[in-house]
Amino acid sequence: MMIRDKINELLDTLPELELNRAYWGIERIHQEYRFKKNLQDKGGVVSELYEESERIVQQWDSVFAHNIDDVVKESIHYSQYKWHLFSYEQQKCLTHDEARDAFNAEPKDEVYVMYESGGWVLLYENANRIIAADFDSEQDIYIFDRAFTWTYVHTHESMCGPYFYKIEQA
């Protein structure tokens, strides 16, 4: 029996309310598939970083939030969402279309992609063809170059972000 037949057989036994839950689960799987396929179609190579993730998250904090003291971090709920340093205007950055344009213009041969939930980090290689729109389906995601000179953030809040912050070159 083909997997599609098995799925249809299971779906046929579910009441409408459960079908609704099944639909949204499948929709999320489909969204993840389209996201990954889009990156692969652009030639991107994605690697999950296990041992390095914690160090990279800490380095993101120390580079992009270096001038924000702990009292301010607590007042803006930084531990909940790091991007609050931009939404609470603690760090001067570009927002909305300006942020998207700046991200699109940056060279992106290799970038880190960090997810707020779980603090896991991916390495995208051969990523020069990725653009801001590729991440529109993602939530609370931080993309930044391996040298930590810029970061692009796409939040789960439609009225917050996206944000682009670049370290001022001395």
Side-chain angles (χ1 to χ4, degrees), residues 125-162:
E125 298 170 282
N126 193 28
N128 279 315
R129 293 175 55 205
I130 64 172
I131 58 172
D134 295 333
F135 298 95
D136 287 351
S137 66
E138 301 299 288
Q139 295 186 345
D140 304 321
I141 188 171
Y142 302 72
I143 301 106
F144 47 101
D145 65 319
R146 290 190 74 176
F148 292 83
T149 60
W150 58 263
T151 187
Y152 175 78
V153 184
H154 188 273
T155 75
H156 69 276
E157 298 275 354
S158 59
M159 64 274 202
C160 293

Side-chain angles (χ1 to χ4, degrees), residues 39-105:
L39 295 174
Q40 289 169 341
D41 289 350
K42 291 183 173 199
V45 178
V46 180
S47 308
E48 191 161 342
L49 303 177
Y50 298 100
E51 291 81 27
E52 305 97 318
S53 283
E54 190 175 330
R55 178 190 55 79
I56 293 166
V57 171
Q58 288 172 349
Q59 191 169 350
W60 191 96
D61 287 335
S62 67
V63 170
F64 297 114
H66 71 281
N67 57 331
I68 313 298
D69 69 39
D70 290 343
V71 173
V72 172
K73 282 182 181 175
E74 192 172 325
S75 73
I76 65 170
H77 313 285
Y78 179 82
S79 63
Q80 185 180 13
Y81 295 111
K82 295 176 186 309
W83 53 262
H84 281 176
L85 72 106
F86 304 120
S87 64
Y88 282 89
E89 299 179 357
Q90 296 300 306
Q91 207 64 289
K92 188 169 172 44
C93 67
L94 298 174
T95 62
H96 308 294
D97 286 343
E98 286 182 337
R100 296 168 75 81
D101 293 345
F103 173 74
N104 292 345

